[in-house]
Amino acid sequence: MDSHAYRHRHLLGIEGLTPEDINHVLDLADTYVEMNRQAEKKKSLLRGRTLINCFFENSTRTRTSFEVAGKRLGADVINMAVAVSSMRKGETLIDTAMTLNAMHPDVLVVRHPESGAVQLLSEKVDCAVINAGDGSHEHPTQALLDALTIRRRKGKLGGLTVAICGDVLHSRVARSNIWLLNAMGARVRVVAPRTLLPAQVEHLGVEVFHDMAEGLADVDIVMMLRLQSERMHGSFVPSTREYFHFFGLDEDKLKFAKADALIMHPGPMNRGVEIGSTVADDIDRSLIRQQVEMGVAVRMACLELLTRELGNGPPIK
Ligand code: NCD
């Protein structure tokens, strides 16, 4: 086995991954992008393996993306939608983990509204666990698919300047991207009103801006975040109209970025809140559809690497 092989048992976050780990996933994902564009898309690599999608929070694209990825590799995929209302914290989560574990799955893909819940669950089961988003903590496959999207278009990650704009406070996408982009040598900025930034966000290794004109100046990538109203208790912005006026990406604000700057958004988009339709649908500069395509390829790569490592000695993480 080559020394740069991905050697983690689970994928719980980008924190803790090395640049070699990240490149390993991205290189493998590149091969799946090509396969996914062909008529024949099915491999039998995971034949006989069982993947359970266990989503304690609503999701369309991430759950579908993992389902497509698992099926293209030949796994049996089971979708378990766990209604948040029927769930109590702690004991119930462990009970669910033990129940699923007894069915001998090979991979559990878990999304949960509480930060840290996926890690807790991973400690109770015998199979590989992929974090599909835990609270406002991490969403590692999103950062990996964003990285693959950027790398394919710009040819590199190192040396680029990326502005992550909007609701950073509630965003696991932002946290995973900050870890990944810093690890790969990109410069990361966050641009948001003070109410939507975590305390001491600069300790994550980012430059902080509260104004789009300054924050977008000369950036290569503008990454917009959804205003996550469902995580807000109280008022974080005066009104969505005012928010769009100051922080929504439109053609005028995009002019502050480099002339060839690209636009990203993890979806789902709130058009007219954090992003205007003209820029979201700009076929030359918006990478939003490519992000969805890369998502399937990245998840196939993760599934391959995590099932390959199973049984190969003690878990590293
Ligand atoms: C993100 C999420 O759920 O964290 N969406 C996604 O996975 N594509 C971002 C969001 O919900 O705004």
Side-chain angles (χ1 to χ4, degrees), residues 142-300:
Q142 179 71 44
L144 288 162
L145 76 86
D146 288 339
L148 184 64
T149 308
I150 298 171
R151 199 178 80 163
R152 287 175 68 94
R153 187 66 173 256
K154 293 280 187 192
K156 60 177 183 183
L157 292 163
L160 297 177
T161 304
V162 181
I164 303 179
C165 311
D167 189 359
V168 178
L169 179 65
H170 300 101
S171 180
R172 50 202 178 205
V173 174
R175 270 172 200 71
S176 289
N177 264 302
I178 291 168
W179 283 113
L180 187 148
L181 291 164
N182 274 325
M184 302 308 280
R187 277 187 296 273
V188 190
R189 298 177 180 181
V190 292
V191 190
R194 283 169 216 281
T195 49
L196 292 180
L197 286 172
Q200 302 189 311
V201 65
E202 59 282 354
H203 292 181
L204 297 174
V206 296
E207 264 189 283
V208 183
F209 295 86
H210 304 294
D211 176 274
M212 290 288 268
E214 289 168 21
L216 296 193
D218 291 323
V219 303
D220 298 284
I221 305 286
V222 184
M223 196 180 275
M224 300 308 298
L225 299 172
R226 185 173 64 88
L227 202 55
Q228 302 204 12
S229 322
E230 78 278 16
R231 294 191 204 285
M232 297 181 187
H233 306 287
S235 180
F236 285 76
V237 295
S239 74
T240 51
R241 263 183 77 190
E242 187 169 331
Y243 182 77
F244 185 74
H245 178 71
F246 287 107
F247 290 97
L249 187 68
D250 57 12
E251 286 165 298
D252 287 340
K253 296 193 197 77
L254 187 59
K255 288 193 185 112
F256 298 117
K258 280 192 182 155
D260 62 351
L262 300 167
I263 303 152
M264 301 177 76
H265 191 302
M269 280 187 276
N270 286 316
R271 289 173 183 261
V273 179
E274 71 268 351
I275 192 163
S277 283
T278 319
V279 289
D281 300 332
D282 183 327
I283 50 165
D284 298 318
R285 302 182 66 180
S286 169
L287 297 177
I288 297 169
R289 267 180 301 167
Q290 285 88 328
Q291 286 173 271
V292 178
E293 182 186 6
M294 295 310 129
V296 176
V298 154
R299 289 170 180 128
M300 290 169 83

